[in-house]
DNA sequence: CGTCTTTGGGATAACGATTTCCAAGAGACC
DNA sequence: GGTCTCTTGGAAATCGTTATCCCAAAGACG
């Protein structure tokens, strides 16, 4: 089923049919109708491969994320896909498995497929840099959530500030001695959260008794860290976790060792994944405006010039929202604990257009 | 950067370079080396769009799932992607949002993009049928996890049997009065689970006091169902849920109303998602061999003939494994509850090759 | 030594769309 | 009425690759 056949049945030339269907040039109404009718009758749908070869646009955008099994990413992916769909674009999704080599391979493969742009959440804020830059020299690229360098457009959330709010909240609850179960700082978000945590602890708690454990963004690491924590001679007032998965792992081990949250120690997660609200105790976490991040990233992808050429690079930073739940409210009596109605921070986008390299 | 330029710098014809790079025909070693060197030097990577146009194969497989935010799917997707990667194929992932119209639209779009095959988890076991059949008439199609009709190849898990094991386990724990928080039976898995549940209740508990609530696969529905359950005058012995998300929602509301699990009522999930093990109490659930399902589906995709033409249709059914945890062990004392060490069913593949329409 | 087969390189024709480019016809305007 | 512009349909070039076809050279074999 080619455009040629449609043209034949319509008694027209392929050129005219093409124009009639795409509206790229005016076609006499009568011929247009004939073309449309023939296409309809034959159930013709254009071969996008052929079209892509000629127009040099595939109508496809690639996206590379570190790990779809981390419930944080599906939410972003859905937002991105929804937005892309609205403009008739397909999403080519890849999971880099948090591996820089894999990530590079995937990006190259996407480029071979001549995608129209790439959304990438670089798994390593340093080593992913060359890959991101290379990609950006060929097609529009937007970094989403995580970044590797500031030479390429970025849309994400102010992690530093969000983490500071977490610590401030804990300090207000009377916590003075903190432990941080971090993810290794290969991911930019992890690095920013760590930094935010450290600075906030300095400010709000005078940096006392600041223990830090570095692993990854997994539940299993949370378990391991909790075991190490328990092996020390005393518990901190609060355990801050790099994300919800880690917090769940920590919670699991604490509980199995008879440590009560929030009675004996307060606990926080990050990302406000769906499960954070239904664990026991429900987890205080940080909600990010993912819908907006996704939308903005797609939007930005269309305005990024084809080949990054030293012009100003756009970066959008959204503000996250602290969601307080029972895991940081030792005072709440069971009756009061549902529904959770703690104080909340405000959210709102915060745009910054900066020169490259800033 | 085209093959023509490579050919020029190598002092060869494009045809020879093409052959040298793809190995589709023997090329004199010396010329081969020259072609490779030139390609390497120029950093040439073939334009897959042009190649696809000529060879009628894009090296891309489409996958349509109902909802990536359901943590069950990312696991399957990862398995599929891993397997595809091994054969150098890209995955074009789509989320149908559990909507039949959307699903149809996506499948059409995939066909336009001339993907080499489609993996689909049809959202409606009845209405998705036409779409699946249409797709199968154009490219190889394998249904994965869910199915719509048996005219198209399928890889999945024996839901019916798995659910029977759940009920049997509960009956052994002394439960006689059951409630089932179902997902509406639009998804084939939901329908099979319901059927398995009903039959097992008949057999093991004489069908006494069998309440059923039908909603969807979401946590929110679990909450709603639990509220309805609590509104009735008495609680059943056990609440069986269509999947883990639903169970989490149920658990959340039960807890907030002071109902103890497993003290007052036993509770089960399905899918054994990562969180099932870390809720409190940990959730008895059903683990499916998703890695194998994914692998088998990709494998099958390669052997399915291009156009479904009435030959025998392959269907592979794997067996799931019951994972018993504290939510169904009222007798376990806290000290014993960790790690969970309940009896486990065995898993194993179970292949069936059946004629179409069976 | 002649013929017959095999091997391998290169020219060229696809693949299926879009997009020049060209030409014919219709108005416009002096 | 003549020229000039504008419109619009169709022929043909084009995108970058691979497959087909042809031909020359080399080797096989009687």
């Amino acid at each position: 089923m080619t455009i040629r056949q449609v043209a034949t049945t319509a008694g027209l030339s392929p050129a005219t049919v093409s124009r009639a269907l795409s509206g790229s040039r005016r076609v006499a109404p009568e011929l247009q109708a004939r073309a449309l009718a023939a296409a309809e009758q034959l159930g013709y749908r254009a071969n996008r491969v052929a079209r892509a070869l000629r127009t040099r646009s595939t109508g496809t955008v690639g996206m590379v994320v570190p790990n779809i099994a981390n419930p944080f990413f599906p939410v972003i992916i859905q937002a991105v896909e929804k937005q892309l769909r609205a403009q008739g674009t397909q999403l080519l999704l890849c999971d880099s498995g948090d591996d820089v080599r894999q990530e590079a391979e995937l990006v190259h493969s996407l480029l071979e497929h001549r995608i129209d742009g790439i959304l990438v959440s670089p798994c390593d804020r340093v080593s992913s840099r060359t890959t991101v830059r290379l990609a950006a020299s060929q097609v529009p690229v937007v970094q989403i959530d995580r970044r590797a360098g500031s030479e390429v457009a970025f849309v994400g959330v102010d992690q530093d500030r969000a983490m500071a709010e977490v610590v401030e909240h804990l300090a207000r609850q009377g916590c003075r001695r903190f432990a941080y179960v971090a993810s290794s700082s290969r991911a930019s978000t992890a690095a920013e959260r760590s930094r935010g945590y450290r600075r906030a602890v300095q400010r709000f708690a005078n940096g006392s008794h600041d223990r830090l454990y570095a692993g990854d963004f997994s539940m299993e690491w949370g378990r391991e860290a909790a075991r190490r924590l328990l092996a020390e001679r005393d518990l901190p007032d609060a355990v801050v976790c790099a994300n919800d998965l880690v917090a769940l792992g920590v919670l699991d081990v604490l509980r199995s060792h008879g440590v009560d949250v929030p009675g004996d120690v307060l606990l926080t997660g990050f990302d406000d994944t769906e499960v954070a609200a239904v664990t026991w105790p429900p987890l205080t976490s940080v909600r990010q405006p993912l819908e907006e991040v996704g939308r903005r990233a797609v939007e930005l992808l269309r305005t990024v010039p084809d080949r990054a050429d030293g012009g100003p690079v756009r970066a959008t930073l959204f503000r996250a929202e602290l969601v307080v739940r029972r895991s940081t409210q030792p005072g709440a009596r069971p009756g009061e604990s549902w529904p959770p109605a703690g104080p909340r921070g405000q959210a709102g986008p915060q745009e910054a257009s900066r020169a490259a390299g800033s």
Side-chain angles (χ1 to χ4, degrees), chain A:
Chain A
M1 177 49 42
T2 78
I3 203 174
R4 187 152 252 111
Q5 295 172 48
V6 177
T8 309
T9 53
L12 297 170
S13 77
T16 306
V17 175
S18 170
R19 296 197 263 250
L21 295 182
S22 73
S24 64
R25 227 181 65 179
R26 202 176 174 291
V27 172
E30 199 250 335
L31 302 192
Q32 165 127 9
R34 261 204 280 157
L36 255 43
E40 168 75 19
Q41 178 201 330
L42 298 176
Y44 169 75
R45 302 206 90 184
N47 180 333
R48 302 195 66 133
V49 173
R51 174 183 298 170
L53 180 59
R54 181 67 236 246
T55 64
R56 340 199 96 200
S57 159
T58 51
T60 292
V61 160
M63 180 166 185
V64 184
V65 299
N67 179 16
I68 13 169
N70 177 344
F72 169 82
F73 285 106
V75 182
I76 270 205
I77 293 168
Q78 285 186 321
V80 165
E81 219 204 348
K82 181 178 162 197
Q83 191 63 17
L84 286 176
R85 180 140 52 219
Q87 59 180 71
T89 304
Q90 276 282 338
L91 184 66
L92 206 46
L93 183 70
C94 310
D95 185 328
S96 69
D98 229 329
D99 176 56
V100 180
R101 285 178 51 80
Q102 183 74 277
E103 183 177 75
E105 192 44 57
L106 288 171
V107 166
H108 278 104
S109 172
L110 287 173
L111 291 174
E112 272 183 53
H113 278 280
R114 293 302 195 272
I115 34 71
D116 295 339
I118 293 183
L119 292 170
V120 59
S121 198
C123 55
D124 191 307
R125 73 180 210 284
V126 177
S127 332
S128 294
R129 213 155 162 173
T130 47
T131 299
V132 169
R133 204 157 36 190
L134 178 132
S137 73
Q138 314 235 17
V139 298
V141 173
V142 172
Q143 304 182 86
I144 186 166
D145 180 54
R146 303 184 182 182
R147 55 182 147 181
S150 44
E151 302 135 322
V152 173
F154 169 73
V155 178
V157 172
D158 190 337
Q159 312 285 335
D160 189 322
R161 174 175 201 159
M163 197 48 109
E165 279 182 34
V166 169
V167 173
E168 184 179 355
H169 161 69
L170 290 170
R172 285 222 188 98
Q173 300 289 77
C175 298
R176 287 298 171 267
R177 302 176 313 159
F178 296 86
Y180 183 45
V181 181
S183 166
S184 87
S185 298
R186 296 197 308 120
S188 69
T189 45
E192 289 162 24
R193 285 174 201 173
S194 292
R195 205 173 65 132
Y197 167 78
R198 254 190 301 254
R199 297 206 301 192
V201 166
Q202 280 294 336
R203 192 164 40 165
F204 295 112
N206 255 350
S208 62
H209 213 316
D210 171 18
R211 276 176 261 167
L212 197 143
Y213 304 83
D216 59 30
F217 274 135
S218 76
M219 213 179 269
E220 194 40 49
W221 158 240
R223 289 206 184 86
E224 169 60 22
R227 280 182 218 114
R228 291 194 206 166
L229 194 67
L230 289 168
E232 312 232 346
R233 64 188 185 293
D234 58 347
L235 283 175
D237 297 329
V239 178
V240 176
C241 297
N243 78 351
D244 287 351
L245 288 177
V246 171
L248 289 179
V250 169
L251 181 61
D252 187 33
V253 167
L254 289 183
R255 178 165 43 218
S256 72
H257 283 75
V259 175
D260 183 57
V261 175
D264 301 325
V265 62
L266 305 203
L267 182 70
T268 66
F270 205 108
D271 286 348
D272 192 38
T273 49
E274 207 184 358
V275 290
V278 299
T279 53
W280 188 252
L283 213 54
T284 289
S285 194
V286 172
R287 179 182 308 153
Q288 306 179 51
L290 299 187
E291 175 78 19
E292 290 163 71
V293 169
R295 178 170 43 220
R296 185 82 184 97
V298 171
E299 221 172 275
L300 208 51
L301 202 54
R302 309 182 68 173
T303 67
V304 166
D306 247 304
R307 326 174 107 251
D309 50 1
V313 171
R314 307 208 48 142
T316 305
L317 223 52
F318 287 91
R319 183 160 169 195
E321 175 190 5
L322 179 67
V323 179
V324 176
R325 298 204 181 84
R326 202 170 195 286
S327 74
T328 59
Q329 295 183 298
R333 272 169 286 141
E336 297 173 331
S337 71
W338 188 262
R344 306 198 163 187
Q346 304 108 304
Q350 198 184 13
E351 175 125 358
S353 189
R354 326 179 294 180
S358 75

